Amino acid sequence: MKFELLGPYIPMFANGLAVTCEVTVAALVIAFALGFAIAVLKVPPCRPLRALLDFYTSVFRGVPLIVLLFMAYFATPQLTGYKISMFAAGILTLGLNGSATVSETVRGGIEGVDRGQRDAAESIGLDYVKTMRLVIIPQAMRSVAPALVNEVITVLKSSSLVATIGLMDMMRAAQSVQALTYRAFEPFLVVAVVYYVIVMVLARVGRALEKRLK
């Protein structure tokens, strides 16, 4: 192993790490905002709306992520005439795909809250939105927090797929270094270690959050 060959390429890895973090954070904002909205909309007994949202989640849960990413980046210009950027294609695909998982997780937590909690909230005059925001979702979060932390980790690791469309994240940086140095093990080991460290930090944060919620 010749790790000294990677010295000149440290800035490339650093820039790749920054892009990975940007893609992950932006995708998580979309996933959590849209996922919570879908979960709340699925709870009321409105069959047409629920059927539409169920179809939405089934598409993103049933189609491989890389296929969705390729469709977003390569097929969008064909259909619309607008060339979407690699960054936008990455965050939209990861965000929409993540929202399907988040919505099902949160919906399960909401439906797991005792029905009496909603009745009590309605009896003191709270409307549906306030009941969800002040009574139901805070209780649901206690049970779904670990699953949501796992979704954060999943989005982080899935962000490496943006390298397949050319976005210079950590994975793409490692591929570029491999092409320049003709060494594969060293650059990919560096990327693996960085991902591992970030995931371990997130896992510790998740355990601390779960303990605090309990």
Side-chain angles (χ1 to χ4, degrees):
M1 293 183 288
K2 299 180 180 179
F3 286 99
E4 65 274 9
L5 295 177
L6 303 183
Y9 306 104
I10 291 177
M12 186 181 296
F13 283 112
N15 291 335
L17 175 59
V19 171
T20 295
C21 293
E22 290 172 2
V23 170
T24 301
V25 171
L28 286 173
V29 170
I30 296 173
F32 276 77
L34 190 56
F36 271 84
I38 293 173
V40 172
L41 291 173
K42 275 188 174 183
V43 175
C46 179
R47 288 189 177 181
L49 177 60
R50 183 157 186 163
L52 178 63
L53 295 176
D54 283 340
F55 175 74
Y56 169 87
T57 55
S58 68
V59 168
F60 284 99
R61 296 178 71 185
V63 179
L65 184 56
I66 193 169
V67 176
L68 296 172
L69 181 61
F70 275 42
M71 289 182 65
Y73 184 64
F74 295 111
T76 299
Q78 176 186 338
L79 296 176
T80 65
Y82 171 75
K83 183 171 177 59
I84 188 172
S85 68
M86 290 181 287
F87 183 81
I91 65 171
L92 285 175
T93 304
L94 289 169
L96 295 176
N97 185 77
S99 70
T101 304
V102 170
S103 67
E104 288 300 294
T105 301
V106 175
R107 181 187 61 80
I110 290 174
E111 293 182 347
V113 176
D114 188 80
R115 175 67 191 180
Q117 296 293 311
R118 301 183 202 178
D119 295 337
E122 292 173 1
S123 69
I124 61 174
L126 295 182
D127 59 22
Y128 178 76
V129 175
K130 288 185 178 180
T131 299
M132 282 292 169
R133 182 169 59 88
L134 299 176
V135 179
I136 304 301
I137 291 180
Q139 295 185 60
M141 286 300 297
R142 296 178 62 184
S143 60
V144 304
L148 293 180
V149 173
N150 287 337
E151 181 60 21
V152 172
I153 294 173
T154 299
V155 172
L156 169 66
K157 293 192 295 184
S158 299
S159 68
S160 61
L161 289 175
V162 300
T164 60
I165 60 173
L167 190 60
M168 188 59 73
D169 70 328
M170 282 198 298
M171 186 65 182
R172 187 69 174 179
Q175 291 174 330
S176 299
V177 173
Q178 177 194 10
L180 293 169
T181 62
Y182 300 101
R183 308 285 296 186
F185 183 80
E186 294 88 338
F188 289 118
L189 179 62
V190 168
V191 170
V193 170
V194 172
Y195 272 114
Y196 178 78
V197 170
I198 296 175
V199 168
M200 289 302 100
V201 171
L202 290 174
R204 284 184 174 273
V205 171
R207 284 194 292 269
L209 177 61
E210 182 180 358
K211 188 179 297 184
R212 182 176 180 83
L213 289 173
K214 284 183 179 179

